[in-house]
Amino acid sequence: MELDFRHFLFALVRILNEMSPYILLGFLLAGVLHVFVRPAQMSRHLSGKGWKPVVKAALLGIPLPLCSCGVLPTAISLRRQGASRGASTSFLIATPQTGVDSIAATYALLGLPFAILRPVAALAGSVFGGMAVDRFDTSEADGEQVYTVADDKMPGSFIGKIAESLRYGLVDMVGSVGKWLIIGLLVATVITVAVPDSLFLSLSEHPVLAMLVMVAVAVPMYICATGSIPIAMSLMLKGLTPGVAFVLLMAGPAANFASVILLRKNLGKRATTIYVGAVVVTALLFGIIIDYLLPASWFALPGGSMTHGEACHLELPLFSTACTALLLIMLGYSFYRNNSPKSHSHGSCACSTSDGNNSYNSTSIIMENQKTYNVKGMACAHCKATVEKAVAALPGVTSAVADLAKGTVEVTGPADPEAVRSAIVAVGFDA
């Protein structure tokens, strides 16, 4: 039992060491994109019909490191600031499938061909889906209400923007994908260490069937583009084909049950059907191309398979180990920050005030002005921050605290409940 735990620990550290330098680089680039590429700027290029807005939306979305739920507020913001329906759909498909962080991590664990084909497949699928929506969906499913979604305010100075880039990349981004990255790493390590190779032998003999099974498993579940990489690597180490692994990389991050429900509400049934269909068809098509048309030598894993001896004798290169240590510190901090009671205070106070013989405790006033709203669709720290920011900007709101586990937001202050609901809906969630 002790040997098995060592095997698990060494395999986990090895995967982390291979990924961490590229993940940190991706987080830094994500911060730069967040500051210098704003939704209000993007929406100006995505209005009108035709293929140009659709292609532009795909090219803008591919490098952005947003998950399938985190991309919804941005896409809805683009749509309500003038982007076409096809361009919004294209952005929704391309963005969660890739990102600068996941492309870098894909190169680290799976090699250059995978790192190139991921954005290529995302581009093809998003253009196909966006053009199909423009061609076949003529409904006005966005609803009768139109909400104004304010763009985040950014620092004016260059130094301020760099500081905000670092803060967003190394704090907010880590908090957004950290949970799912850890889950992906743990699942990959368990598959690598504990699952016998024979379990996947029958599926490996029928790649197309394995791809269909992978679609059925990957589409409903939630997994981010970076968290899917170690799982895909571990499945390949167990004998599944590169095409099957690629289906997981593309179909898993692009959709999940919660995001599909929200998409149906905001884009309509037909556009949502086209969206899911484009994701599935593109993932299967590129999986088949990889397994049947491209040389197998292109997709050999850079590090080869992990032997029992390698797993029991761990090497710790200085640079990659330092990156792993830094990443773990950042993940620990993001967990503390998201779960600490202090981070939920948002400036509310509980103090006593007296005036002559009349004294009162402001805690009672705060409690009287507190209301809790159910919010559907929050799945990550990015969702949580988006809801809190939208509600906190309303007149009369003194604090807004979202709870991912409960799916709620607690609002303090004499705010209009309908205004709170509208603000939550405006950023892509259901209240």
Side-chain angles (χ1 to χ4, degrees):
M1 194 70 182
E2 181 181 352
L3 180 61
D4 289 340
F5 177 75
R6 280 182 56 194
H7 192 184
F8 176 87
L9 182 62
F10 286 3
L12 177 62
V13 172
R14 185 183 180 203
I15 295 173
L16 266 171
N17 276 353
E18 291 178 359
M19 288 184 67
S20 57
Y22 297 91
I23 291 177
L24 292 176
L25 175 62
F27 284 155
L28 291 173
L29 294 174
V32 172
L33 288 171
H34 170 75
V35 171
F36 292 98
V37 181
R38 311 300 301 146
Q41 298 168 347
M42 291 190 289
S43 61
R44 290 196 294 268
H45 299 279
L46 306 182
S47 59
K49 296 287 185 179
W51 63 270
K52 287 185 179 180
V54 172
V55 173
K56 286 180 181 179
L59 294 175
L60 286 169
I62 284 172
L64 294 179
L66 294 175
C67 58
S68 58
C69 62
V71 71
L72 284 169
T74 305
I76 292 169
S77 172
L78 291 174
R79 173 65 179 146
R80 288 169 177 167
Q81 293 182 48
S84 69
R85 188 185 301 277
S88 301
T89 304
S90 177
F91 185 83
L92 278 167
I93 295 173
T95 306
Q97 290 183 324
T98 62
V100 287
D101 56 331
S102 61
I103 293 173
T106 300
Y107 172 74
L109 284 190
L110 301 178
L112 184 61
F114 271 109
I116 293 175
L117 282 173
R118 267 192 107 170
V120 170
L123 177 64
S126 57
V127 171
F128 167 69
M131 293 294 291
V133 166
D134 269 349
R135 174 66 178 83
F136 298 108
D137 185 16
T138 57
S139 64
E140 291 299 325
D142 288 297
E144 290 73 21
Q145 286 183 292
V146 177
Y147 305 97
T148 301
V149 183
D151 208 354
D152 295 342
K153 292 183 179 179
M154 288 290 125
S157 67
F158 180 76
I159 298 298
K161 289 180 178 179
I162 294 298
E164 174 61 17
S165 298
L166 293 173
R167 187 203 63 78
Y168 180 84
L170 301 181
V171 178
D172 288 359
M173 269 300 300
V174 175
S176 179
V177 307
K179 172 185 174 182
W180 304 105
L181 175 60
I182 292 172
I183 291 174
L185 287 167
L186 292 176
V187 170
T189 307
V190 169
I191 292 173
T192 301
V193 173
V195 177
D197 296 353
S198 58
L199 183 64
F200 295 106
L201 286 179
S202 58
L203 277 178
S204 64
E205 295 173 359
H206 306 281
V208 175
L209 175 61
M211 292 177 199
L212 293 173
V213 171
M214 188 61 68
V215 165
V217 172
V219 169
M221 73 176 182
Y222 182 92
I223 185 171
C224 72
T226 303
S228 66
I229 300 167
I231 300 177
M233 182 195 72
S234 63
L235 291 175
M236 287 179 63
L237 290 175
K238 292 300 177 181
L240 289 181
T241 64
V244 176
F246 193 81
V247 170
L248 170 65
L249 291 175
M250 302 309 294
N256 63 73
F257 186 72
S259 67
V260 168
I261 291 176
L262 289 173
L263 279 176
R264 181 172 178 176
K265 174 181 175 61
N266 286 280
L267 290 182
K269 182 177 179 180
R270 184 174 297 180
T272 303
T273 302
I274 294 172
Y275 164 84
V276 175
V279 169
V280 171
V281 169
T282 306
L284 290 173
L285 178 61
F286 274 81
I288 292 170
I289 290 173
I290 288 172
D291 279 351
Y292 292 96
L293 298 180
L294 297 179
S297 59
W298 285 11
F299 303 98
L301 293 175
S305 60
M306 187 184 298
T307 66
H308 181 80
E310 287 174 328
C312 294
H313 295 86
L314 184 64
E315 295 183 0
L316 298 174
L318 180 60
F319 177 72
S320 58
T321 304
C323 290
T324 295
L326 177 59
L327 179 61
L328 291 175
I329 291 171
M330 290 161 51
L331 289 169
Y333 172 73
S334 70
F335 178 81
Y336 169 78
R337 179 171 174 262
N338 290 335
N339 293 277
S340 171
K342 292 182 179 180
S343 68
H344 293 164
S345 63
H346 289 269
S348 61
C349 66
C351 53
S352 297
T353 304
S354 61
D355 183 9
N357 294 324
N358 297 323
S359 63
Y360 63 91
N361 191 323
S362 64
T363 303
S364 61
I365 297 178
I366 291 176
M367 293 301 295
E368 290 175 3
N369 288 330
Q370 279 185 344
K371 292 183 176 65
T372 301
Y373 300 80
N374 293 320
V375 182
K376 296 180 181 179
M378 292 192 300
C380 68
H382 185 276
C383 303
K384 177 179 182 291
T386 299
V387 171
E388 289 178 340
K389 187 178 296 183
V391 176
L394 294 174
V397 174
T398 57
S399 75
V401 180
D403 189 317
L404 283 178
K406 297 179 180 178
T408 62
V409 58
E410 187 177 88
V411 181
T412 303
D416 178 15
E418 183 59 28
V420 174
R421 190 197 70 81
S422 297
I424 295 171
V425 171
V427 292
F429 300 94
D430 198 8

